Amino acid sequence: MPESLSAGGVVVRCKDGHAWIALVREGDLPDLILPKGRVEPGESLEAAARREIYEEAGLTDLELVAELGRRERLNFRRDRWSVTVYFLFRTRQTEGHPADQKHRYRCEWHRIDRLPAMFWQEQRQLIEENRQRIEAMAAEAPCTCARSRRPPA
C-alpha cells in the first residue's frame, strides 16, 4: 500500500488564562480538523506545517514551540497509508484568512477544555495526550510571537 507524508499543526493562542486551539471547518461540513496536508518535494516538515496552516486556517504569525508527535492511519478513501507529523505553535493572531479558497476553509478557535467533535479522532487524541503540556505552555508565558504577518514562502 502506498504511503503519504503530511505535516500539520496545533496552533494555540492564550486568552483569559486559557489555551485556545485553532480548528478548521471545510465548507458546511459538521466536524472540525487540525490544519495539515502533504509535504511537497524538497519541503521540510516544519515548512509544510506552516504552509498548510496558512492555506487552511490563514494563520501566519506562528512561533514554533515543539514537535508534538506523529500519527498514522488510512486516508479517507482507504487506499493509502497516511503519516502525519504535528508541531505545536503559539500565536497572537485572532483571525485567519485561509489562502485556499477552493475548499472554503474557515478557522475557529476553541478552548482546549471544550473541544467540539473532530473528524479525525487521532487529532483529538493528540491534543488530549498533550493537553497538560499545551496548557502549561499557555500559562507560563504570554504569546511572544514575532509581529510578522508574512505568508510562508
Side-chain angles (χ1 to χ4, degrees), residues 13-69:
R13 72 179 171 100
C14 317
K15 181 182 170 200
D16 302 327
H18 298 283
W20 292 72
I21 307 291
L23 298 177
V24 173
R25 185 181 307 274
E26 183 179 350
D28 297 325
L29 296 176
D31 294 328
L32 294 147
I33 59 171
L34 289 171
K36 64 132 189 96
R38 285 198 185 165
V39 177
E40 294 180 358
E43 190 175 39
S44 72
L45 290 169
E46 181 187 341
R50 287 177 181 275
R51 178 181 49 76
E52 289 294 337
I53 292 166
Y54 171 59
E55 289 175 1
E56 296 181 6
L59 302 173
T60 57
D61 184 17
L62 303 171
E63 176 188 352
L64 176 65
V65 176
E67 184 176 313
L68 273 185

Side-chain angles (χ1 to χ4, degrees), residues 34-106:
L34 289 171
K36 64 132 189 96
R38 285 198 185 165
V39 177
E40 294 180 358
E43 190 175 39
S44 72
L45 290 169
E46 181 187 341
R50 287 177 181 275
R51 178 181 49 76
E52 289 294 337
I53 292 166
Y54 171 59
E55 289 175 1
E56 296 181 6
L59 302 173
T60 57
D61 184 17
L62 303 171
E63 176 188 352
L64 176 65
V65 176
E67 184 176 313
L68 273 185
R70 167 187 180 122
R71 293 294 185 264
E72 299 184 22
R73 63 169 169 75
L74 282 173
N75 68 355
F76 186 73
R77 290 186 305 273
R78 299 188 176 281
D79 62 356
R80 183 177 298 270
W81 192 249
S82 177
V83 177
T84 306
V85 178
Y86 288 95
F87 294 89
L88 176 61
F89 293 97
R90 183 178 6 225
T91 191
R92 287 184 184 182
Q93 256 181 286
T94 58
E95 291 183 18
H97 302 284
D100 182 344
Q101 297 301 312
K102 183 175 107 178
H103 290 96
R104 297 180 25 231
Y105 291 120
R106 67 180 186 271

Side-chain angles (χ1 to χ4, degrees), residues 138-150:
E140 73 188 24
C143 296
T144 56
C145 302
R147 292 281 180 192
S148 169
R149 298 279 190 254
R150 290 187 337 244

Side-chain angles (χ1 to χ4, degrees), residues 108-126:
E108 299 180 8
W109 292 98
H110 294 273
R111 271 181 43 175
I112 196 168
D113 60 342
R114 298 179 184 164
L115 290 176
M118 294 179 68
F119 186 79
W120 298 112
Q121 289 307 306
E122 78 273 5
Q123 290 183 340
R124 184 184 191 94
Q125 195 174 45
L126 176 77

